[in-house]
Every structure is written in structure tokens, then in C-alpha cells.
Amino acid sequence: MALLTCEDLSLGYEGKAILEHVTFSVNNGDYLCIVGENGSGKSTLMKTILGLRKPLHGTITTGEGLRQNEIGYLPQQTVVQRDFPASVLEIVRSGCQGRQGLRPFYTKAEKKLARDNIRRMGLDDLTRRCYRDLSGGQQQRVLLARALCATGKLLLLDEPVSGLDPKVTAEMYQLISDLNRRERITVIMISHDLGAALKYASHILHIGARVWFGTREDYLQSSVGTAFLQLGGVEQ
Amino acid sequence: MTLEAYLGLPYVQKALLVGVLISMCTALLGVTLVLRRFSFIGDGLSHVAFGAMTVAAVVGLTNDMLLVMPVTIVCAVLLLSVGQHAKVKGDASVAMISVGALAVGYLLMNLFPPSGRSNITGDVCTTLFGGTSILTLQPQEVTLSIVLSIVVVVFFLFFYHKIFAVTFDESFATATGTKTRLYNLLLAIIIAVVIVLAMKLVGSLLISALVVFPALSAMRLFKSFRSVTICAACLSVICTVAGFLSAAMFSTPVGSTIVVANIAVFALFTLGGLIFRRS
Ligand SMILES: Nc1ncnc2c1ncn2[C@@H]1O[C@H](COP(=O)(O)OP(=O)(O)O)[C@@H](O)[C@H]1O
Ligand SMILES: [Mg+2]
């Protein structure tokens, strides 16, 4: 039984499909990269997996004891967040919120989990700092720490490196790769940087007019993959 | 009359108490509203309440709250929870409803003048600026304000972390299992109730000011959600007391004096923020 299985999904807005016949599954420990052109529906697919939107057609099932609210999420950054007065600690802790139910305070265990994830992301010195005063890379690490508070199993990352400079981008990729390899956290990442996708991912889901899913090795041999590579899918 | 003698008057004490409570509630709610880009909802909803009041008067309802409260709550829920996904963006829909309700209300007042009251302009003026109505509170209005303020503070303490999560990142909160719809609904209802009560007492101008100014001032200096929230509540109370006392001393209108106090604090905090950032 796979961790996450999507079968014949159709996605769209107001009944109009923007993406059809998406079928793929993710096993424990996989690193899946979702690639495709801008506007092809990558973010929409991620929101559907998260249960924020309903698919027009098809099913999403979770397995291996993964519950719907045990998926960590790193959203594409919104404008609102950028000038929000909140400390790093407050944001990371809010990752535990989903499990809280009606309990009004965080437990000792939840506070410790937040501390641990802050350390894991190398944010120890920034705990009390204000989110809006941090650099782009630091902000992304804060959001990653928050996502890790919500899950120990599956991370969904929507363009985690957009807007970061090359050095910070490489560090971010390394951090994600470490989480995947060392801690066996399953990763699903959207990226329009095909080079990185091919370097780190174990599987590729290519969406667009043609949908393709398989391992990285097969993707390099496939017609979809070679065509996308030639189009300049590799940006670096 | 000296300030001391003035403060000794029971109706003045009541007015001050109610003013302090209301300004604390609006400041607490204001932080999440401002951060969600809903600064104008105080204005909008109080105009809706005004429109509903005129309708109630035309229909001849003796207890107009029976109409005003539900209508305002529905508008708040529509704006805050549905508004996020609606075609018309949040700020535009607030503006639309606000201006629309005000116009319809004023029109109705002119078409069907309330019997026994000839001073329509005076009525409208009171609705907008509060006039002296805070000095003529009925005992049950005082009780209601106290009860309501307790409800708001308890709600805020109990759901504090959820309000933070929902305000900071609604999608993330929903995806990880927070019942954002429920909290948005509760928040909208509370906001509507506070605004309806507050507008009867202090006028819609003052409500908008009490929603936005304390939050904005606090954000100039403070850097965590908790400190911003606490600071906003304190600032709001301080400005209300200061404004209230100055109004008594200089015989100025209470509402606008309180707003001016808020503006002064905002200017001070902006300056403080600039200096603080330099050093
Ligand atoms: N809220 C929305 N309502 C209607 N259409 C939308 C909405 N969000 C995105 N779309 C459309 O869906 C398509 C896919 O968007 P998105 O999933 O964000 O693409 P990607 O993340 O791959 O760049 C785009 O053409 C976009 O215009
Ligand atoms: Mg996207």
C-alpha cells in the first residue's frame, strides 16, 4: 500500500478542467518532483492533495496510517505573510496547531517538537526574531520547520526555492535532500528548475498537455522528458 | 465643573467604563482584521447596521436589534469567510456594502422620516460620530457591554493560537487540520456583535479608528504577534481614557478626540519605529 495514491484525477476551477487523467502514487521514502510549465496546474494539484480543493473527478487515498492532517506543507509565499509581525517561535509552533483540537495551549511535547525543528533548520539564534526581518532563505527555513511540526512523514513543497539566490537555493535543496535521505521523510516538491529535480528526485511527475509519471531514470529516456529538456527546462 | 467633579458623576463613570471595554475588544479584533487586509470592515459593518436600523424604523420594529444583529452578522460572515474565495476582492466588497448600506439607509430615512423625529441630519450625524450617546447610556447597555467584553476576551484567550494560525496562513492551517471555517465563522459573528453595539455607543467613525489605529501603532514597534496584540489592547484603552478626559476638559466631541489621541500615538510609534530600526 502506497503512502499516497492519486487515481485518474481531474482538476479545475468552476467545473472547467485544467488538468486531466493524473495518476500516480508515492511510496514511503520517495522524493517526487512535480514539473511542468507555469500555469499547468502544479499548485492546484498540491492544494487538492492537501484537501483544500475537491478534484473534479478521481480519487486520492492515503495509506500506511497517514492521516489527511499529517501532511506538512510549504506554500508558495504569499504577499500577506511577508510583513506579518510574528516571531520565528510563534510561526514554527503553529505547525502543531492542527493536532490541538480545542485545547487552548501547546503541550510540553509540542513545544519541544518546535524547538527541535528550529534546531534542525539551523534557526537557533533567530528564535525570537521577527519573521519579516529575515532573509528569504531564512523565511523558507522557518516555514519548513513549521511544516515539520505538522508531520514526520510527508512534506509537500511548492516552489521552495523561488526568489532565493543560487547559494541559498543549493543549501535549501541540500536540507530537503537530507530530510529525505537521513530521516526518511517522503517529499513531494514542485519545481520549475528541472536541473535540481533531476539531481535530487527519485520520481518525476510531469504535468501539462501530456501527463507523465515514473522514475527519474525513465523520465530521461521518455519522449516527454527529452522534449521538455530541449525546451530549456533546465535553467542552470 | 472640575475634572474631578465630572469624573464623580455616575453616568460619566459608566461611559468611561464602557468606552474602555469597547476599545479593548475592537483593538483585539483589529489585529487580525488589519493583518488580513480587512481594516475597513468596522466601517462597512457599522454602515450595514445603520442601514438595517433605518429599515427597522420604517417597518416599525420596536426592538430594532432583532433585525440589525442578524443582518450585520450575515454580512460579516459573507465578507470574512466567503470573501476569501469570492470574485470581488475583500476590500472592494467591503467598500461596496459599506457605501451601499449607508446610501440606502439615508434614502429610507428621508423617504419615511421616523415619526416624532424631525432632525434627520442630526440622527445621521449621531450614527456616524457618536454624538453624546455614550454619555446617555441605559443601565442594560452598560451590562451588555460588560458581558460582551468578557465574552470577547475569553474567546480571544481560548482561541488565541488558532486565531494566530488562521490569520498567518489560512491554507496551511486548513491543510493540517485546523477547523478554519469554524473559527472564521466565530470571529465574524463576534466582530459583528461588537461593531453593532459599539456603533450605537460611539458611532461608526470611532469604531473604524478603534479597529485600525491600535493595531497599526503596535505593529510599528513590536515584532511578535503576542506583543502586538497586548500592546494594541493597552494602547487602545490608554487612548480612550486620554481622549475621554481631554474631551471633558476642552469640551470637544468625545469620539473625535479619542481618534485624535490614536493618531497622536500612531505618529509617536512611527517615529519610535524609525529611530529603533536605525540604532
Ligand atoms: N482561484 C483560481 N480560480 C480560477 N482559476 C485559477 C485559480 N487559481 C489558478 N487558476 C488557474 O489554474 C491554472 C493553474 O494554476 P496553478 O496551479 O497555480 O499553476 P502552476 O502552479 O503550475 O503555475 C492557471 O491557468 C490559473 O490561471
Ligand atoms: Mg504554482
Side-chain angles (χ1 to χ4, degrees), chain B:
Chain B
M1 193 167 20
T2 65
L3 196 58
E4 254 166 77
Y6 182 70
L7 285 176
L9 298 172
Y11 72 88
V12 173
Q13 289 170 353
K14 275 186 212 150
L16 192 56
L17 175 69
V18 168
V20 162
L21 291 176
I22 286 180
S23 49
M24 189 176 60
C25 293
T26 48
L28 286 177
L29 297 170
V31 175
T32 163
L33 289 175
V34 167
L35 285 171
R36 291 181 188 207
R37 306 285 190 269
F38 271 110
S39 308
F40 255 110
I41 203 162
D43 199 54
L45 289 181
S46 57
H47 290 173
V48 168
F50 167 75
M53 267 178 215
T54 59
V55 172
V58 169
V59 182
L61 276 180
T62 39
N63 187 354
D64 60 0
M65 279 299 137
L66 289 179
L67 182 71
V68 175
M69 218 34 120
V71 168
T72 316
I73 288 175
V74 167
C75 279
V77 171
L78 286 179
L79 286 174
L80 274 175
S81 42
V82 186
Q84 316 263 328
H85 313 283
K87 288 238 168 75
V88 184
K89 273 291 147 223
D91 64 333
S93 47
V94 173
M96 212 166 63
I97 287 188
S98 161
V99 174
L102 195 60
V104 170
Y106 190 58
L107 192 70
L108 282 176
M109 257 190 161
N110 277 278
L111 287 179
F112 311 95
S115 51
R117 274 193 275 164
S118 50
N119 187 0
I120 292 174
T121 324
D123 277 1
V124 175
C125 196
T126 304
T127 315
L128 290 181
F129 300 111
T132 56
S133 58
I134 193 164
L135 292 172
T136 55
L137 294 171
Q138 302 299 313
Q140 74 264 26
E141 288 176 323
V142 178
T143 321
L144 192 60
S145 308
I146 294 173
V147 170
L148 194 78
S149 313
I150 294 171
V151 170
V152 172
V153 172
V154 168
F155 171 82
F156 222 86
L157 287 178
F158 200 80
F159 293 112
Y160 171 78
H161 291 297
K162 290 158 183 72
I163 293 173
F164 172 78
V166 172
T167 310
F168 180 67
D169 191 341
E170 199 173 327
S171 311
F172 180 88
T174 314
T176 52
T178 305
K179 295 196 170 43
T180 48
R181 272 168 169 273
L182 175 70
Y183 300 124
N184 276 336
L185 190 72
L186 286 176
L187 211 54
I189 292 174
I190 288 207
I191 287 164
V193 173
V194 166
I195 284 172
V196 168
L197 288 174
M199 86 155 276
K200 280 208 120 181
L201 307 178
V202 296
S204 74
L205 172 84
L206 185 52
I207 296 176
S208 313
L210 289 177
V211 167
V212 292
F213 274 112
L216 286 176
S217 302
M219 275 176 226
R220 297 282 135 176
L221 275 190
F222 290 91
K223 294 176 179 289
S224 73
F225 190 73
R226 185 162 62 168
S227 52
V228 165
T229 308
I230 294 173
C231 173
C234 294
L235 279 184
S236 185
V237 168
I238 292 169
C239 288
T240 298
V241 173
F244 194 90
L245 296 182
S246 332
M249 280 194 286
F250 305 112
S251 318
T252 47
V254 180
S256 23
T257 314
I258 294 177
V259 177
V260 170
N262 274 291
I263 295 173
V265 166
F266 178 73
L268 207 68
F269 272 56
T270 307
L271 205 68
L274 288 177
I275 295 167
F276 202 66
R277 228 163 261 185
R278 286 266 171 79
S279 59

Side-chain angles (χ1 to χ4, degrees), chain A residues 200-220:
Chain A
Y200 294 104
S202 63
H203 293 73
I204 302 279
L205 173 64
H206 180 120
I207 61 175
R210 283 178 64 195
V211 178
W212 189 95
F213 170 71
T215 62
R216 177 187 61 172
E217 290 73 23
D218 291 345
Y219 184 68
L220 288 172

Side-chain angles (χ1 to χ4, degrees), chain A residues 34-40 42-43 46 73-77 82 140 143 156-164 172-173 176 188-193 235:
Chain A
I34 304 177
V35 298
E37 277 146 34
N38 268 338
S40 55
K42 304 185 293 296
S43 297
M46 199 162 265
Y73 173 45
L74 190 108
Q76 237 175 339
Q77 283 222 335
R82 285 193 191 277
Q140 288 299 75
L143 297 186
L156 265 61
L157 314 170
D158 195 344
E159 306 206 0
V161 299
S162 65
L164 303 183
M172 195 73 191
Y173 279 135
I176 296 165
I188 302 180
M189 179 173 82
I190 292 177
S191 174
H192 53 218
D193 171 4
E235 288 179 353

Side-chain angles (χ1 to χ4, degrees), chain A:
Chain A
M1 180 79 191
L3 200 58
L4 182 82
T5 311
C6 295
E7 247 172 294
D8 198 21
L9 283 185
S10 292
L11 312 173
Y13 294 93
E14 284 132 31
K16 257 186 266 161
I18 53 168
L19 191 60
E20 287 179 301
H21 309 303
V22 182
T23 299
F24 68 96
S25 62
V26 181
N27 288 307
N28 211 345
D30 281 359
Y31 189 143
L32 172 70
C33 247
I34 304 177
V35 298
E37 277 146 34
N38 268 338
S40 55
K42 304 185 293 296
S43 297
T44 309
L45 174 61
M46 199 162 265
K47 285 182 191 145
T48 312
I49 295 173
L50 287 164
L52 296 172
R53 307 188 49 83
K54 290 227 174 337
L56 299 178
H57 179 264
T59 54
I60 301 172
T61 42
T62 54
E64 300 191 16
L66 179 78
R67 268 175 288 143
Q68 178 69 55
N69 64 2
E70 279 183 317
I71 304 178
Y73 173 45
L74 190 108
Q76 237 175 339
Q77 283 222 335
T78 59
V79 194
V80 174
Q81 287 170 1
R82 285 193 191 277
D83 59 352
F84 200 98
S87 70
V88 169
L89 189 61
E90 284 178 318
I91 293 173
V92 175
R93 276 185 186 168
S94 74
C96 303
Q97 183 56 62
R99 273 174 268 129
Q100 236 185 350
L102 276 179
R103 175 162 40 81
F105 302 108
Y106 292 120
T107 60
K108 277 224 171 76
E110 285 168 342
K111 286 181 183 167
K112 181 168 181 303
L113 181 66
R115 286 261 166 215
D116 290 347
N117 284 323
I118 284 174
R119 190 166 312 124
R120 263 213 272 193
M121 292 296 112
L123 296 164
D124 279 306
D125 303 334
L126 306 173
T127 317
R128 301 273 162 204
R129 286 277 294 280
C130 179
Y131 180 75
R132 64 183 169 197
D133 297 340
L134 303 180
S135 69
Q138 289 167 335
Q139 290 188 340
Q140 288 299 75
R141 276 189 282 149
V142 172
L143 297 186
L144 197 51
R146 174 183 68 161
L148 286 169
C149 281
T151 185
K153 292 178 183 166
L154 175 60
L155 275 179
L156 265 61
L157 314 170
D158 195 344
E159 306 206 0
V161 299
S162 65
L164 303 183
D165 65 49
K167 181 167 167 285
V168 181
T169 298
E171 285 169 8
M172 195 73 191
Y173 279 135
Q174 193 57 50
L175 209 55
I176 296 165
S177 173
D178 286 348
L179 287 173
N180 177 247
R181 297 224 173 121
R182 296 211 192 121
E183 322 215 5
R184 303 283 298 162
I185 294 176
T186 310
V187 174
I188 302 180
M189 179 173 82
I190 292 177
S191 174
H192 53 218
D193 171 4
L194 198 55
L198 292 173
K199 183 166 170 209
Y200 294 104
S202 63
H203 293 73
I204 302 279
L205 173 64
H206 180 120
I207 61 175
R210 283 178 64 195
V211 178
W212 189 95
F213 170 71
T215 62
R216 177 187 61 172
E217 290 73 23
D218 291 345
Y219 184 68
L220 288 172
Q221 309 298 322
S222 72
S223 57
V224 176
T226 44
F228 197 52
L229 279 167
Q230 268 163 14
L231 271 175
V234 181
E235 288 179 353
Q236 276 153 356

